[in-house]
Amino acid sequence: MELKNVSRYSPDNMPYGHGVQYFKSEEGQDFYESLNLFTKKYTLCIEPDTGIIRSMAEDVSTLYPAGFTVVDVDELPGGVDISGGWLFDGQKVVPRIPTQGEFVAKAKREKAELMQMASIAIAPLQDAVDLDMATDAEKTSLLAWKKYRVLLNRVDISKTLDVAWPEAPKR
């Protein structure tokens, strides 16, 4: 069963009362009147254009279908979730392969987090050196963290899907 591009609407006759939200597919099928047509074990709310799974349940009536296409399937692969890494390909649920842009965006976020971690480690060590209070261990650690930050800054995240991050110094 499939209900495409489900949206909210106000039916002339409200069989479940006025405090209920009503939904229909782009073909005009009422969601609640279609519940018994979902006969497979799992029901999914997927993005209409991409098939990305955004919600799933064994009881179709628990889903909020507005803005989604609703489909049902008999099986789900192990590890399936609604975080955006899975999609319904028209027949079954499969892992989604992220785009190059998504890989780059993820690498940018990771690089920023690693740079921030290095800067946080460097700050007190640099203070100790600047105030002529640093131990030999602190001076060595400062140098290691600065080298790490330089190497990290040089990582080109736009050319590969598998980024080779430099190893951070031990704290």
Side-chain angles (χ1 to χ4, degrees):
M1 176 60 185
E2 177 180 56
L3 294 178
K4 294 181 181 180
N5 296 318
V6 176
S7 60
R8 287 182 58 192
Y9 82 111
S10 295
D12 295 333
N13 176 19
M14 296 188 175
Y16 304 107
H18 291 279
V20 174
Q21 293 184 27
Y22 293 86
F23 308 97
K24 67 176 179 176
S25 71
E26 68 182 16
E27 293 91 13
Q29 296 168 280
D30 183 88
F31 177 70
Y32 297 113
E33 291 174 6
S34 301
L35 291 181
N36 63 339
L37 302 176
F38 289 94
T39 59
K40 297 180 180 177
K41 184 170 182 178
Y42 304 101
T43 309
L44 315 170
C45 286
I46 61 173
E47 293 179 2
D49 296 335
T50 64
I52 296 173
I53 299 169
R54 294 302 181 187
S55 185
M56 61 185 164
E58 288 187 41
D59 179 355
V60 63
S61 69
T62 64
L63 295 173
Y64 186 84
F68 299 108
T69 290
V70 183
V71 298
D72 58 348
V73 295
D74 286 318
E75 296 180 5
L76 293 175
V80 69
D81 60 30
I82 60 172
S83 65
W86 296 87
L87 61 84
F88 179 71
D89 71 359
Q91 300 294 320
K92 61 187 180 301
V93 173
V94 296
R96 185 175 74 84
I97 299 170
T99 65
Q100 173 72 18
E102 289 171 314
F103 278 114
V104 169
K106 181 178 183 253
K108 278 184 181 179
R109 287 189 303 273
E110 188 168 351
K111 185 174 183 176
E113 289 171 11
L114 293 172
M115 290 292 283
Q116 182 179 18
M117 178 188 74
S119 295
I120 288 169
I122 288 169
L125 296 169
Q126 186 65 58
D127 291 346
V129 168
D130 291 348
L131 295 170
D132 201 24
M133 299 171 62
T135 65
D136 288 341
E138 288 171 325
K139 290 176 187 175
T140 301
S141 184
L142 176 62
L143 182 60
W145 277 104
K146 284 186 171 184
K147 285 181 180 179
Y148 169 72
R149 189 166 61 177
V150 167
L151 293 173
L152 188 58
N153 192 53
R154 291 179 180 168
V155 172
D156 183 359
I157 57 174
S158 66
K159 300 206 182 207
T160 181
L161 301 181
D162 189 24
V163 177
W165 300 108
E167 188 174 334
K170 303 225 185 312
R171 286 188 170 222

